[in-house]
């Protein structure tokens, strides 16, 4: 299903706001949205919320034969899934550009930076090694999936516990969790990616773009770092032209952000460890607050409210008075009508003149009716209704009711217009005379 | 490859180059008659072939056509015999798709696509022998092919890979240096304006070294740009001499 295209006015609004250093949700240029990390009941299961973007990561392990060219190393396999659950734009089963990009970025960020000690995953060299599989599923797409996915992946890796293995001669025993405690993986460092989006050919940059901002951005720069200020991966995409200084500046901003995020991850891991040790309840169900609206609610956005009253008053003063309410959007120009409504036939004006001269007074007494389209049914225009200009016909109104009133209005309005037209003609005639 | 010394004490690399030295570049333009533009480049042992078709009408679905620009379609593939072990899947795997995407983005930034609305430019690149610097060879070959096809570009797009070994920035990495586990950065540059069209880096590098690494890569790209410029001018001379008679 194709996603709804972004309208031009929305795009211009977003770009204009970014030029004035304002974001839709009131954030500053370098601010992240609220990051929330929760763990499931199993080890290695983690859900990360960055604002409304929600991503789930699950780590699992199994014993397999190692790769031929690396007999003493374990295998790490990373997979990111974009399901239609996250956004109607994602189609299941098809590898879109975004899917490939995100997968490759995540792979490079985690595998090439060697965050996991693969040598420790070896059980029997050349025969059995642990294969660690990280599955990341995007549950809700509100921009910046990459950062959420990288946080989820590394947190899940840190959270995961694998079964203990005992080797006695030729025998390899895998102990169940009841026999021996599960042991955590050995993680060297925690790479976290930070996304920078560029607008207006690289003039403006924003950290952590939301979905709307992602739609109007020119390009994206993703920098993955760890808290020791080591850059794990840089990737620019989108065909923007960058200058070296911009890349260096972004790396400095990224190092600050990564430190904050790493602290958050460590705190979350610590909390979870404490809860599990104390025997308290843990898991997703616990992390969701009860009796509270969870969906369709928005948090208080820190929008700038300085001198908003003056601005509002200024705008109110400058605008004109609102026009009278129009109940029906149809505006009837003089001499027009729709099928079924029927206006006064204005052909036989000369004949009608004399008749109308008598009726004029009645009509004018009947009450003012300035706009032909207002349905002030209360004011009736005279009792005499001329339906047709033909003197031979006798039209009898059978059904009294609203329709007739409207009809009458139309007649009278048409009449009025005909009247005014005939008045003008009379004046002309008088002048002529 | 733990025993291999990537940088000797005298400052020489595995193949005897200095850290800031590029490999020998040999390039030919107009190698195929069927295509609108074609080029072949050899950077050391890495051999890449690029072919350009276009600008022509959008093939396939009309909906892909952009009303104000040309669509650039890139395909990157490696020959099965290009690596030491025979490659089983030359197309369609994730790495190839990623490379194709990056090539497309690089050239969308460099080619003046607004001159050809509602049309499509196809760039096909194939690696015949892979010895490190695949992406750079592709970009350089594609640049020459686009120039051969007569499609206007903002500037030459020159790409080079760079790494960091023992606190020295080394440029134009060969396969052994790339797979040694150190940092590998690929950079595509438009030399005249100093604008970076694409930057890609893997493996850990301390933030303080980033500046030096980028600077080394950009200098290497600039010298490569001069080499490509020389190739283009020579080709033009040859062609004009041949067609003058």
């Amino acid at each position: 299903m194709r996603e709804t295209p972004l309208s031009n006015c929305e795009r211009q609004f977003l770009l204009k706001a970014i030029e004035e250093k304002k974001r839709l949700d009131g954030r500053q240029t370098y601010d992240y949205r609220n990051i929330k990390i929760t763990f499931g009941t199993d080890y290695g299961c983690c859900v990360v919320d960055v604002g409304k973007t929600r991503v789930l990561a699950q780590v699992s392990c199994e014993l397999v034969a190692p790769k031929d060219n690396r007999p003493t190393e374990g295998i790490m396999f990373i997979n990111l899934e974009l399901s239609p659950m996250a956004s109607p734009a994602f189609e299941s089963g098809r590898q879109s550009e975004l899917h490939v990009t995100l997968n490759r970025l995540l792979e490079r960020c985690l595998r090439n930076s060697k965050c996991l000690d693969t040598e420790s995953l070896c059980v029997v060299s050349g025969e059995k090694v642990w294969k660690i599989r990280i599955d990341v599923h995007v549950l809700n797409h509100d921009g910046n999936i990459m950062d959420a996915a990288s946080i989820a992946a590394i947190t899940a890796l840190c959270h995961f516990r694998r079964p203990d293995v005992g080797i006695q001669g030729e025998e390899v025993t895998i102990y169940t969790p009841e026999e021996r405690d599960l042991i955590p993986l050995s993680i060297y460092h925690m790479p976290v990616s930070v996304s920078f989006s560029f607008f207006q050919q690289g003039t403006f940059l924003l950290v952590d773009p939301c979905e709307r901002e992602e739609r109007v951005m020119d390009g994206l720069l993703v920098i993955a770092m760890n808290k020791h200020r080591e850059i794990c991966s840089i990737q620019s995409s989108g065909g923007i032209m960058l200058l070296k200084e911009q890349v260096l500046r972004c790396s400095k901003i990224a190092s600050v952000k990564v430190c904050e995020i790493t602290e958050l991850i460590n705190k979350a891991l610590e909390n979870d460890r404490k809860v599990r040790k104390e025997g308290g309840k843990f898991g997703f169900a616990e992390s969701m607050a009860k009796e509270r609206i969870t969906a369709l609610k928005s948090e208080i956005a820190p929008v700038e409210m300085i001198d908003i009253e003056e601005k509002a008053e200024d705008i109110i003063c400058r605008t004109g008075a609102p026009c009278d309410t129009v109940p029906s959007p149809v505006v009837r120009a003089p001499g027009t009508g729709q099928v079924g409504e029927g206006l006064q036939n204005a052909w036989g004006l000369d004949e009608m003149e004399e008749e109308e001269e008598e009726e004029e007074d009645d009509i004018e007494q009947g009450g003012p009716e300035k706009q032909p389209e207002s349905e002030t049914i209360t004011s009736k225009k005279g009792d005499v209704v001329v339906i047709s200009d033909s003197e031979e016909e006798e039209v009898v109104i059978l059904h009294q009711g609203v329709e007739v009133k409207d009809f009458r209005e139309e007649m009278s309005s048409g009449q009025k217009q005909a009247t005014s037209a005939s008045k003008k003609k009379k004046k002309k005639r008088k002048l002529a005379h | 490859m733990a025993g291999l010394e990537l940088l000797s004490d005298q400052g020489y690399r595995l193949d005897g180059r200095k850290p800031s030295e590029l490999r020998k570049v040999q390039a030919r333009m107009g190698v195929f008659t069927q295509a609108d533009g074609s080029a072949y480049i050899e950077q050391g042992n890495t051999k890449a072939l690029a072919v350009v078709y276009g600008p022509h009408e959008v093939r396939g679905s009309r909906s892909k056509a952009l009303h104000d620009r040309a669509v650039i379609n890139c395909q990157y593939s490696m020959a099965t015999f290009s690596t030491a072990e025979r490659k089983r899947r030359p197309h369609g795997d994730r790495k190839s798709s990623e490379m194709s995407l990056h090539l497309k983005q690089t050239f969308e930034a460099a080619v003046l696509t607004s001159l050809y609305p509602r049309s499509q430019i196809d760039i096909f690149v194939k690696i015949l022998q892979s010895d490190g610097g695949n992406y750079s060879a592709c970009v350089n070959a594609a640049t020459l092919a686009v120039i051969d096809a007569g499609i206007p570009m903002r500037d030459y797009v020159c790409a080079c890979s760079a790494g960091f070994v023992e606190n020295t920035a080394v440029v134009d990495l060969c396969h052994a240096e790339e797979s040694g586990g150190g940092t590998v950065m690929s950079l595509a540059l438009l030399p005249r304006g100093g604008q970076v069209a694409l930057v890609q880096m893997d493996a850990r590098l301390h933030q303080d070294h980033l500046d030096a690494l980028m600077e080394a890569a950009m200098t290497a790209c600039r010298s490569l740009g001069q080499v490509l410029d020389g190739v283009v001018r020579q080709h033009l001379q040859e062609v004009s001499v041949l067609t003058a008679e």
Side-chain angles (χ1 to χ4, degrees), chain A residues 297-314:
Chain A
K297 73 163 185 180
S298 59
E299 281 146 20
I300 303 169
V303 179
E304 219 180 84
M305 297 282 271
I306 308 169
D307 63 58
I308 204 145
E309 284 186 22
E310 289 116 38
K311 272 197 194 154
E313 286 192 19
D314 187 37

Side-chain angles (χ1 to χ4, degrees), chain A residues 79 97 104 107-108 112 189 229-242 244 251-252, chain B residues 94 98 101-102 105 109 190 195-208 210-211 215:
Chain A
N79 184 34
E97 259 184 41
R104 282 294 300 158
E107 233 183 272
R108 281 168 44 209
N112 294 12
H189 63 103
R229 290 181 59 222
E230 286 173 338
I231 303 177
C232 301
S233 142
I234 299 182
Q235 178 68 58
S236 80
S237 60
I240 26 153
M241 305 290 208
L242 294 172
K244 187 178 73 141
S251 78
K252 290 198 183 74
Chain B
R94 274 191 202 159
E98 196 201 9
L101 268 177
H102 290 160
Q105 284 160 6
L190 273 68
Q195 291 156 320
V196 174
L198 187 131
V199 61
Q200 184 179 317
M201 198 187 82
D202 293 332
R204 298 198 336 226
L205 174 80
H206 199 268
Q207 195 188 351
D208 300 334
L210 182 64
D211 191 9
E215 196 50 56

Side-chain angles (χ1 to χ4, degrees), chain A residues 177-219:
Chain A
E178 289 84 37
E179 292 170 10
R180 278 213 203 159
D181 275 345
L182 304 168
I183 44 179
L185 302 169
S186 66
I187 311 251
Y188 286 139
H189 63 103
M190 305 214 289
V192 174
S193 80
V194 176
S195 300
F196 299 88
S197 54
F198 288 92
F199 303 87
Q200 311 282 46
Q201 279 87 45
T203 336
F204 302 102
L205 86 81
L206 289 180
V207 174
D208 188 19
C210 68
E211 205 249 333
R212 294 278 144 200
E213 289 162 353
E214 267 188 2
R215 295 252 214 136
V216 297
M217 70 181 178
D218 285 337

Side-chain angles (χ1 to χ4, degrees), chain A residues 96-297:
Chain A
S96 67
E97 259 184 41
L98 183 66
H99 187 247
V100 171
T101 323
L102 288 172
N103 261 303
R104 282 294 300 158
L105 265 173
L106 202 59
E107 233 183 272
R108 281 168 44 209
C109 169
L110 291 174
R111 184 179 295 167
N112 294 12
S113 64
K114 297 201 181 45
C115 65
L116 185 64
D117 180 16
T118 43
E119 297 264 349
S120 67
L121 297 173
C122 178
V123 176
V124 178
S125 169
E127 284 174 33
K128 289 278 180 213
V129 295
W130 283 111
K131 175 178 172 186
I132 304 287
R133 189 196 163 101
I134 308 169
D135 284 290
V136 182
H137 289 259
V138 181
L139 300 176
N140 192 34
H141 173 37
D142 193 33
N144 204 7
I145 298 177
M146 185 58 217
D147 290 2
S150 81
I151 298 174
I154 194 64
T155 316
L157 272 177
C158 292
H159 191 241
F160 181 63
R161 307 268 183 277
R162 67 167 170 86
D164 197 5
V165 180
I167 306 175
Q168 272 160 343
E170 288 293 322
E171 270 189 29
V172 176
T173 339
I174 307 173
Y175 296 108
T176 58
E178 289 84 37
E179 292 170 10
R180 278 213 203 159
D181 275 345
L182 304 168
I183 44 179
L185 302 169
S186 66
I187 311 251
Y188 286 139
H189 63 103
M190 305 214 289
V192 174
S193 80
V194 176
S195 300
F196 299 88
S197 54
F198 288 92
F199 303 87
Q200 311 282 46
Q201 279 87 45
T203 336
F204 302 102
L205 86 81
L206 289 180
V207 174
D208 188 19
C210 68
E211 205 249 333
R212 294 278 144 200
E213 289 162 353
E214 267 188 2
R215 295 252 214 136
V216 297
M217 70 181 178
D218 285 337
L220 190 71
L221 177 71
V222 176
I223 299 183
M225 283 175 84
N226 61 22
K227 68 169 188 214
H228 308 292
R229 290 181 59 222
E230 286 173 338
I231 303 177
C232 301
S233 142
I234 299 182
Q235 178 68 58
S236 80
S237 60
I240 26 153
M241 305 290 208
L242 294 172
L243 298 168
K244 187 178 73 141
E245 290 75 33
Q246 283 175 314
V247 178
L248 294 173
R249 192 157 56 102
C250 288
S251 78
K252 290 198 183 74
I253 299 167
S255 62
V256 173
K257 290 291 155 198
V258 162
C259 283
E260 292 170 11
I261 296 175
T262 317
E263 256 188 62
L264 206 80
I265 296 175
N266 284 330
K267 234 192 290 181
L269 284 166
E270 193 54 49
N271 278 348
D272 183 73
R273 208 176 304 153
K274 241 193 289 178
V275 169
R276 279 179 205 258
K277 205 154 90 160
E278 288 160 12
K281 292 207 197 135
F282 48 87
F284 292 136
E286 291 308 310
S287 60
M288 277 191 251
K290 293 188 181 59
E291 291 165 30
R292 217 192 276 178
I293 306 168
T294 47
L296 292 177
K297 73 163 185 180

Side-chain angles (χ1 to χ4, degrees), chain B residues 55-105:
Chain B
H56 56 69
E57 211 188 331
V58 177
R59 305 265 164 76
S61 61
R62 289 294 134 90
S63 60
K64 279 198 208 139
L66 298 169
H67 66 280
D68 58 345
R69 318 199 289 277
V71 172
I72 297 190
N73 185 29
C74 274
Q75 203 194 39
Y76 163 90
S77 71
M78 293 178 75
T80 43
F81 46 80
S82 59
T83 47
E85 281 175 22
R86 190 188 166 85
K87 262 191 104 56
R88 247 173 279 153
R89 242 186 112 186
H91 308 267
D93 62 329
R94 274 191 202 159
K95 271 202 189 138
S96 305
S97 310
E98 196 201 9
M99 281 282 221
S100 309
L101 268 177
H102 290 160
L103 280 172
K104 177 182 146 107
Q105 284 160 6

